[in-house]
Amino acid sequence: MKLTVIIPVYNREKTIQKAIVSVVEQLLDDMECMVINDGSTDHTEEVVQECIAKYGKKLTYYKKDNEGIAATRNFGITHANGEYILFVDSDDYIEPHLLEEIKPYLEKEIEIIKFKARHVDENGNVIHNITGPTFSNINGQEAFNRLAFTDVLMDSPCVYVLKKELFLNQKMFFKPNTYHEDFGLIPLILLSAKSVVSLDYYGYSYVQSEASITRNQDYEKTKKRWEDTLFHYDNMLQWISQNELNTKTKENVITYYTNAILLKLASIKKEDRKPYIQKIKQRKMIQNIKPKNVKQLIKRIILTVNINWYLANK
């Protein structure tokens, strides 16, 4: 089996059918679609069973207790029959010719195949295309350096086809019970690859629904998201200390994570930021910003003097 498309699902009775159909109707002979029901309590089970009745052997189905998206993706990785993995979220879908487009690169044994995505509304109308660099076969470090500061979806697992052994060989999986688990893992998986291509092909549609816009507005969850981002930063430091990266890449990785943490801090209310700023200072994270031009020098000076002022004027 060459490719397993993994669709984790939790309480998405209205969208799961479209996600499944977008995959199974373009599956090639050496590909499978795996749906993992993460303990849904709505009618997701019934919808999936209807798809199984229609598509039969094209679908592999698992149902388990609710553990969250990270643990569910990990379950899919360990149960996949394919050499490669593609993740599709249950409220999104892939474009009709994506699997045909990536097939030649699977045959060449390219370890990571990246493609582009677009935001669409619930009727499929394109809101905007998400741009990013394209390139032929390069290694993971070069790919990271190309993508890190120019592609806003670099850490999304849904815009990659990933060789399964990249996860298994280093026992690298999504961190359960954390937010931003993609941010914590995908850049490190990318850095591990020996061969990466980035295609000028829009193969994935992120659906921007009212639910997707409002579901992340719980302030207590916002604070935990920031804490988890810091957890992933600490984990990254440990990982790069155990893996050989060139100096440029190491600096870029640390800067990438640092910038993300600073930007996420803006979502914390000013009056609540003091303990978070203290954690940044304890790690001496502002020193991670290496000024390469006047603008970056000014940024570092301002951050050193007053992080809140920087966020207010960002």
Side-chain angles (χ1 to χ4, degrees), residues 243-258:
N243 291 269
E244 294 185 8
L245 301 181
N246 63 54
T247 301
K248 175 185 176 182
T249 302
K250 185 178 292 188
E251 286 184 359
N252 283 343
V253 173
I254 294 173
T255 300
Y256 174 79
Y257 275 79
T258 298

Side-chain angles (χ1 to χ4, degrees), residues 30-142:
D30 53 355
M31 300 178 179
E32 66 175 349
C33 179
M34 176 188 295
V35 179
I36 309 167
N37 186 346
D38 186 34
S40 295
T41 56
D42 64 356
H43 295 290
T44 293
E45 166 78 10
E46 291 93 321
V47 177
V48 175
Q49 290 297 340
E50 290 175 4
C51 292
I52 292 172
K54 181 176 181 180
Y55 295 107
K57 294 181 180 180
K58 289 186 176 183
L59 275 175
T60 303
Y61 180 56
Y62 293 94
K63 184 178 180 181
K64 63 180 189 61
D65 293 338
N66 179 252
E67 298 175 286
I69 185 66
T72 305
R73 285 179 179 155
N74 293 341
F75 180 96
I77 293 167
T78 56
H79 287 76
N81 292 310
E83 295 175 44
Y84 288 84
I85 288 169
L86 166 62
F87 294 103
V88 176
D89 286 346
S90 56
D91 44 3
D92 300 327
Y93 55 89
I94 61 174
E95 292 301 312
H97 302 291
L98 174 62
L99 302 186
E100 180 183 344
E101 287 286 331
I102 65 169
K103 178 69 172 177
Y105 301 95
L106 301 181
E107 294 173 346
K108 293 176 183 177
E109 298 291 326
I110 301 295
E111 290 189 336
I112 295 180
I113 304 131
K114 188 180 186 301
F115 46 89
K116 294 182 179 180
R118 53 173 52 105
H119 285 134
V120 301
D121 65 21
E122 292 175 282
N123 296 317
N125 300 310
V126 177
I127 299 172
H128 71 273
N129 292 324
I130 304 167
T131 60
T134 59
F135 46 80
S136 300
N137 189 358
I138 59 178
N139 67 42
Q141 292 193 48
E142 292 172 330

Side-chain angles (χ1 to χ4, degrees), residues 59 90 99 104 108 183 185 233 242 275 278 283 285 289:
L59 275 175
S90 56
L99 302 186
K108 293 176 183 177
F183 167 77
L185 178 64
Y233 171 86
Q242 298 169 350
Q278 186 62 31
R283 290 165 173 79
M285 291 175 65
I289 299 171

Side-chain angles (χ1 to χ4, degrees), residues 114-118 128-135 143 146-154 159-160 198-202:
K114 188 180 186 301
F115 46 89
K116 294 182 179 180
R118 53 173 52 105
H128 71 273
N129 292 324
I130 304 167
T131 60
T134 59
F135 46 80
R146 293 269 198 99
L147 295 167
F149 307 108
T150 57
D151 194 317
V152 297
L153 288 179
M154 190 192 74
V159 294
Y160 295 95
S198 180
L199 309 180
D200 189 17
Y201 180 78
Y202 287 91

